Amino acid sequence: MIMRSNQELRELKIKLAKWADFRNMPCPAPSHPWQGGDWQAPAGKEFYGTSQLPDFTQSLDACFKWLVPKLQKLKWKIQITMATLSGGKAQASLTSWERKYNKQNRPHICVNAETPALALCLAIEQLSMDEANEFEYDDYMVLKLRLSEQTEG
């Protein structure tokens, strides 16, 4: 298991905030005291600076308040366990309620990490990468279909 640096955890926090539909509002002036600008949560609550964002990687409470509702909206089931087979590490599993979710027909994501919150965050990060790849794949298939229709017609 690779320990993550503070910078990697900060970048993951920002990536998860964006995934959960937090909006980053740039600094109005160079002298703005909050590094990274202000953030607004989907419910309208403001966080002042990136350091004030919920600490998703350390808090299951923050994960369940801000991240899990989007997982449920996307129809993903969550299971978090302490996996003795992986050296006592936490394990987070996401399972799609819709089996045709992605092109690999892989409706399951499983990640091991040092803490349950970090495992869930890393699983969501993997999901977000799969979502991005799925959109790229869909765009490619639409383009391929249009090109084949043009050559046939």
Side-chain angles (χ1 to χ4, degrees):
M1 203 67 43
I2 299 172
M3 290 295 292
R4 304 233 171 205
S5 70
N6 288 339
Q7 179 62 28
E8 290 172 319
L9 292 175
R10 181 179 179 279
E11 290 170 5
L12 180 57
K13 179 195 290 194
I14 291 169
K15 186 184 292 186
L16 292 168
K18 288 178 181 178
W19 181 82
D21 301 323
F22 281 65
R23 290 184 319 135
N24 183 240
M25 299 172 286
C27 298
S31 61
H32 194 278
W34 309 111
Q35 181 183 13
D38 295 338
W39 289 83
Q40 186 172 34
K45 179 178 179 178
E46 286 193 24
F47 296 92
Y48 302 102
T50 301
S51 64
Q52 298 300 310
L53 283 171
D55 197 357
F56 304 118
T57 62
Q58 295 298 315
S59 169
L60 277 176
D61 290 339
C63 290
F64 276 84
K65 181 174 183 175
W66 300 108
L67 304 177
V68 169
K70 182 163 182 178
L71 285 172
Q72 292 171 329
K73 182 180 169 186
L74 295 173
K75 299 184 178 181
W76 284 86
K77 181 178 83 171
I78 304 148
Q79 180 178 0
I80 301 172
T81 58
M82 292 303 289
T84 55
L85 295 176
S86 62
K89 302 295 182 188
Q91 183 177 77
S93 299
L94 303 178
T95 306
S96 174
W97 295 350
E98 297 179 352
R99 298 196 62 80
K100 59 182 181 179
Y101 184 76
N102 61 29
K103 66 183 179 289
Q104 295 93 2
N105 199 23
R106 184 177 55 106
H108 185 78
I109 295 170
C110 186
V111 177
N112 295 327
E114 292 78 19
T115 66
L118 181 57
L120 179 56
C121 289
L122 293 173
I124 293 170
E125 179 184 39
Q126 180 63 48
L127 171 63
S128 69
M129 290 187 305
D130 285 354
E131 285 175 334
N133 291 337
E134 180 66 16
F135 291 130
E136 290 171 12
Y137 178 78
D138 286 347
D139 292 341
Y140 168 76
M141 291 307 291
V142 167
L143 180 60
K144 185 176 176 182
L145 178 63
R146 286 183 183 157
L147 289 173
S148 68
E149 288 173 350
Q150 289 175 356
T151 57
E152 290 173 5

